Amino acid sequence: MPMIPPLLWIPLALLTLALLVYSAGGTSTRTKLSYGQFRQYLEQGRVESVVIRGARAYGELRDPTAPDQKPKLFVVVLPSPALQDPGFDALLVSKLGAKYASEEPPDNTGFLVAGYLLVTLLLFAGVWFMFRRTRDQVLGGGFLAGFGKSPAKRYQSAGKPITFQDVAGLEGVKEELQEIVEFLKDPARFQRLGARVPKGVLLMGPPGTGKTLLGRAVAGEAGVPFFSINGSEFIQMFVGVGASRVRDLFATAKENAPCILFIDEIDAVGRHRGAGLGGGHDEREQTLNQILSEMDGFTPTESVIVMAATNRPDVLDPALLRPGRFDRHIVVDRPTFRGRLEIFKVHTRDVPLRADVDLERLAASTVGLTGADIRNIVNEAALWATRHEKDCVSMEDFEYARDKVLMGTKREDLLTGREKQMTAYHEAGHALMVWLLGGPDRLHKVSVIPRARTLGATQLLPEEDRFNVCQSELHRRLVYLLGGRVAERIHFDELSAGAEDDLKKATQIARRMVMHWGMSQRLGPVAFRVDEEHPFLGKEISAPREFSESTARIIDEETIRILREAEDRARQVLEEHREKLDRLAAALEQQEELDEQDIERLLGPPAYRRPTEAEAYPVSPALPHASS
């Protein structure tokens, strides 16, 4: 027998209630007559039959003018005097004879009580089902037990499991994790000599560098279960749910040992305790306390490895980072040239490439990008080639995809008139700083086509990976940033708001040179760092600055001096080469986009070279730049 769907319980209860009311009264199809009308019809002989049940009289009326018509049913509520009058009974007998009867009213009390009870149960069941369904959508799990159940998902590889071969680059990181893999494969080998493998491994690095992929690769290499959960999934609106889910998660891990627990974005629950609002009664802090307790509860023989990933290691509670919990801290940084090349090879394995595709050139021109960025470039190139009905992906498609990722998508609106000319001179000023004075980076493309939130862009490609920057390079970067603003002033004798981003970046660099890196002659080798930590980011309330008002005034003066020197240097270079500035701006205004080869045909070969210490502030920015 099929079961009634729970969603139909409430309509069914309402229908049952209506049937009960109908059956209890039994008068919905009868005409209600007053006692006076009933006596009048009885005297006229129009009453066909009467049955008295209690205080009601049920009967039939006939119409003398239509003898063939079906009699009409009626009901009359009899008053007390009529029921107590013997003459009324005699009148009915004389008028109706055998068609008059008197019966005891039926007792429907039990039926009505059972019916109303059924209706109540159906309504309660429907309300309970809707509450449970809403609760499950919010909290997950079954009734009551679902509150504390862990929402961790067990990773199941659809086919071939992910291994270290699927993780391109990051060779140093994979060597660190190889020891974890060997322990999960053969724990007795380490325990025989009394060795203890770290209980926790914390992966730290920028977003998109492959931290989650590394966790899955470790599980795939070891062939053990992999449980994944996000840090924010522990926290719910009900107090105690996070700690209960932590207990359930670790209990599940112990049952499936050896295995790997992977907590992504652990900073959602692992921030400093005692900060912000809530104090020690904060639900997040209770969850963190339970995580700390569970990690301490692991015995040395339990083959459970806890891996966590975060891009904010600075806000984590120190108790998480101490030995015995997350013993090993592994930095997953942006890939090097060799790593980017391997990542391109991995992501292009299933992409048909034309013979002109140079992966080494692409790897060299994507300095600072993560594995996720490179995967996005490959995907954008394949989509662009598909849109143009190509059979394979060419280098031109990769160039388009790289420009889209680095500079943004082209906007539909185009610049015209004076606005376009001013943007052309602005970008030409940036480009000439690099082209004429040289540096370690080369000019890749200059454009006045609006992209994303910018009106124009000047893109540079570093020749090599850079991990440090010296004072002369910082001065060159400032000259480069201010070159566009100076070009506007030289040609138009006024400034525009398009240099806002340039000024912001230049001011940040100059202030850091003075306050953080000790590059001011007046202040000397002193760091005047201001504590910018905020309590709601996981740290205590910041302390006041540790320098006087007079020092703050000198910092401002030194910052302004450095920026003015860079501006004067940019003006000197552009005034000496005013003819090249006009020529480049005119070509840029006409063609809207120029690459390195176009500029070389226009201005001659560039002065790309490494600067010497004796040179005074040659221009060479170290990072790609997009100006508005």
Side-chain angles (χ1 to χ4, degrees), residues 68-112:
D68 297 334
Q69 189 176 359
K70 184 177 179 180
K72 183 183 298 184
L73 303 178
F74 69 90
V75 60
V76 179
V77 179
L78 301 176
S80 298
L83 294 174
Q84 299 173 1
D85 183 10
F88 178 68
D89 186 69
L91 177 63
L92 291 175
V93 171
S94 62
K95 290 290 185 180
L96 301 176
K99 294 184 180 181
Y100 162 66
S102 178
E103 302 175 354
E104 291 292 332
D107 187 8
N108 295 329
T109 305
F111 174 73
L112 290 176

Side-chain angles (χ1 to χ4, degrees), residues 192-203:
R192 179 176 58 87
L193 298 178
R196 183 181 63 86
V197 170
K199 295 180 183 179
V201 178
L202 182 63
L203 302 177

Side-chain angles (χ1 to χ4, degrees), residues 511-512 514-517 526-533 543-547 555:
R511 187 166 291 274
R512 283 181 172 269
V514 175
M515 297 183 62
H516 294 189
W517 302 324
V526 184
F528 300 99
R529 301 195 63 173
V530 178
D531 189 5
E532 298 176 351
E533 295 168 350
R545 65 186 186 187
E546 299 179 351
F547 50 89
I555 290 174

